[in-house]
Amino acid sequence: YEQAVPSAFGITKYGMSPCRTACPIHVNAQGYIALISKGEYEKALSLIREVNPFPGITGRICTRPCEEACSRANVEESVAIDFLKRYVSDKEKVTGNKWNIEKPSYNGKDVAIIGSGPAGLLAAYDLSSKGYGVTVFERMPEIGGMLRYGIPPYRLPREVLDEDLNILNELGVTFKVNTTVDNTMFNDLRNKFNAIFIAVGACKSRKMGIPGEELPNVIGATDFLKNVITGEIKEFSGSAAVIGGGNAAIDAARTLLRLGAENVEIIYRRTRAEMPANAEEIEEAIQEGIVFNYLRTPVEISKNGESLILKIQEMMLGEPDSSGRRRPIPVTDSFEKKEFDLVVMAVSQEPEIEPFKELSIERGLLKVDPLTLETSVKGVFAGGDAVTGPATYIEALAAGRKGAVSIDRYLNGEDLRIDREKEGPYK
């Protein structure tokens, strides 16, 4: 007689786990964690790479939406999903093993990718894996986009970045560095390539629109970080204010300490609870001695000799705004003045989309079909920060993958939309 109650091994689970569902590229976290628990490290890494070819990078800078959704948090705390990814990636380097990937045959079609940030890199990986000739155009001397020129080396060591990205060289991706794509070149690429994916990222610091922003020693966070990474800024002594509450603000503040700053203060118009920066980055900044000045916003910058005078207004929190966070409201006649040697503006970023003026643009961003990422020009697709504004690394990867799927379908004469509802729109 058959057993009345099946064994545990006879029970089948349907659907994806919460962690995998929450991941924008749906890495099988549950699967690779199970393999790690059995000591199957190489198999775990292989499972990760079925979806994510950049585990070393991801394991260091991902914002970890998987851990926010982890069911284990209902018992004690979330599983350290991302650090486990980092662990198996680092372990491979220690053992000397190498990821051997077979380069596919060229299928006769070529794709141009503008921008070598995470969206462009994953699109390049997916398309080259299918046999397309892929050429990536990057205006900086080395590839990586904001991964290389926006994230400090203490968070993402350059050897890790280079090792992960080397797989693209093995797949035969061509990189054209020190190449700025202007409108003339963009039109030329449209004639030379079968399809184009625009992934330029949000690398330009936004202005607050307050008096004094153009003064010397007032600099945007993206420019500041890039100048440090390229060696244009090698040291700093004195006091600095960083305006903003995102990861760029934290990166700039912690970088200033490493350059020799005597004191660094982050000025943020909301409270810590509303800060979009990673919680652990905030905590580490506090432990390193960075001062956080909440419910404050600058309204004017002026000079006092060689120093900068920051006029700061007190804020209070009102009702939630469109972001879901409580709206900061100025407190009338409540100001203070502080003196600094440097002010770093990290309020937001925006993409440089001037070369693509022939495409449909809305509110300073490229307008695309949210399901296919196709622009207003046939054969031209776009994704990442150029479409959404500043987003996360893992969301940019998802955009690159979505764009690659659409380009593959487009070049094979297939319907770009059918059966893709499960992907959801890209926002």
Side-chain angles (χ1 to χ4, degrees):
Y1 295 96
E2 295 183 4
Q3 288 179 285
V5 180
S7 70
F9 296 100
I11 298 173
T12 302
K13 292 184 178 181
Y14 294 94
M16 288 194 292
S17 60
C19 52
R20 189 175 183 183
T21 301
C23 176
I25 60 172
H26 307 305
V27 176
N28 188 352
Q30 190 177 26
Y32 77 72
I33 290 169
L35 288 167
I36 290 172
S37 70
K38 297 177 181 179
E40 300 282 3
Y41 305 123
E42 291 183 21
K43 290 181 180 178
L45 190 55
S46 294
L47 184 60
I48 294 167
R49 283 175 169 155
E50 286 182 8
V51 178
N52 185 351
F54 312 128
I57 298 170
T58 308
R60 285 169 169 82
I61 67 167
C62 187
T63 49
R64 308 199 295 271
C66 54
E67 294 183 21
E68 292 182 15
C70 179
S71 299
R72 192 68 194 176
N74 298 325
V75 180
E76 46 189 11
E77 62 180 345
S78 300
V79 175
I81 297 171
D82 213 41
F83 283 166
L84 287 169
K85 186 187 291 95
R86 171 177 171 172
Y87 172 74
V88 292
S89 176
D90 290 353
K91 192 172 183 64
E92 181 185 61
K93 297 175 180 62
V94 172
T95 58
N97 293 333
K98 186 180 179 182
W99 182 20
N100 294 313
I101 189 166
E102 186 176 344
K103 180 180 176 181
S105 300
Y106 173 52
N107 64 16
K109 297 174 182 178
D110 298 293
V111 179
I113 296 176
I114 304 172
S116 69
L121 292 169
L122 191 58
Y125 172 82
D126 283 358
L127 291 167
S128 59
S129 296
K130 292 180 179 294
Y132 292 99
V134 176
T135 302
V136 179
F137 296 87
E138 169 57 52
R139 69 176 181 175
M140 297 298 288
E142 295 182 82
I143 65 169
M146 293 298 285
L147 295 176
R148 186 178 301 278
Y149 294 103
I151 297 177
Y154 72 84
R155 283 185 59 203
L156 179 57
R158 294 308 179 249
E159 61 270 19
V160 173
L161 177 64
D162 292 336
E163 286 169 357
D164 268 12
L165 299 189
N166 185 56
I167 192 64
L168 299 171
N169 294 318
E170 295 185 20
L171 284 169
V173 175
T174 299
F175 291 99
K176 300 287 188 180
V177 297
N178 291 313
T179 304
T180 299
V181 177
D182 57 15
N183 186 251
T184 301
M185 184 175 180
F186 174 59
N187 289 323
D188 188 42
L189 295 179
R190 287 170 56 190
N191 294 325
K192 289 183 177 179
F193 288 84
N194 301 104
I196 295 175
F197 184 62
I198 301 171
V200 293
C203 54
K204 184 167 69 172
S205 294
R206 273 198 177 132
K207 304 283 189 182
M208 285 190 69
I210 62 174
E213 272 188 289
E214 305 303 326
L215 287 172
N217 295 330
V218 179
I219 186 172
T222 55
D223 290 329
F224 169 73
L225 290 168
K226 181 186 71 176
N227 291 345
V228 172
I229 290 165
T230 58
E232 291 182 48
I233 299 176
K234 293 184 171 64
E235 59 184 9
F236 173 79
S237 60
S239 62
V242 179
I243 315 302
N247 285 323
I250 304 295
D251 286 346
R254 297 181 69 188
T255 297
L256 280 161
L257 283 184
R258 286 158 174 76
L259 291 175
E262 294 174 11
N263 61 282
V264 180
E265 181 174 320
I266 290 179
I267 299 172
Y268 181 55
R269 61 181 183 162
R270 291 184 171 97
T271 70
R272 178 173 175 174
E274 288 82 28
M275 289 188 80
N278 295 351
E280 69 275 9
E281 294 292 326
I282 298 171
E283 186 58 38
E284 288 177 11
I286 292 171
Q287 292 177 11
E288 290 179 353
I290 292 169
V291 175
F292 284 74
N293 198 349
Y294 300 112
L295 293 173
R296 300 289 187 274
T297 192
V299 294
E300 183 182 352
I301 307 172
S302 58
K303 281 187 69 68
N304 179 25
E306 295 299 316
S307 299
L308 296 168
I309 303 298
L310 207 58
K311 185 178 181 181
I312 303 167
Q313 183 165 27
E314 183 181 356
M315 309 294 282
M316 61 182 290
L317 295 182
E319 295 300 315
D321 60 16
S322 59
S323 71
R325 297 174 297 169
R326 294 177 65 188
R327 183 187 304 275
I329 301 171
V331 177
T332 305
D333 296 328
S334 181
F335 299 95
E336 62 178 321
K337 291 186 177 181
K338 289 195 169 187
E339 187 171 324
F340 297 97
D341 298 301
L342 178 72
V343 174
V344 180
M345 308 297 285
V347 291
S348 191
Q349 298 151 230
E350 58 188 353
E352 296 182 12
I353 56 175
E354 291 81 3
F356 316 113
K357 57 187 177 183
E358 295 175 23
L359 306 180
S360 180
I361 297 172
E362 192 174 87
R363 297 191 304 275
L365 301 171
L366 297 178
K367 189 176 180 181
V368 301
D369 184 302
L371 194 61
T372 68
L373 301 192
E374 188 170 29
T375 68
S376 55
V377 173
K378 191 175 180 62
V380 179
F381 301 79
D385 294 354
V387 171
T388 62
T392 66
Y393 159 78
I394 197 70
E395 288 170 320
L397 288 186
R401 174 144 292 153
K402 197 176 191 70
V405 170
S406 291
I407 289 171
D408 182 46
R409 288 190 177 200
Y410 169 76
L411 294 179
N412 284 289
E414 300 173 8
D415 191 304
L416 299 186
R417 307 181 66 84
I418 192 168
D419 294 330
R420 297 187 71 181
E421 291 79 7
K422 63 181 181 296
E423 296 177 19
Y426 182 63
K427 298 178 181 179

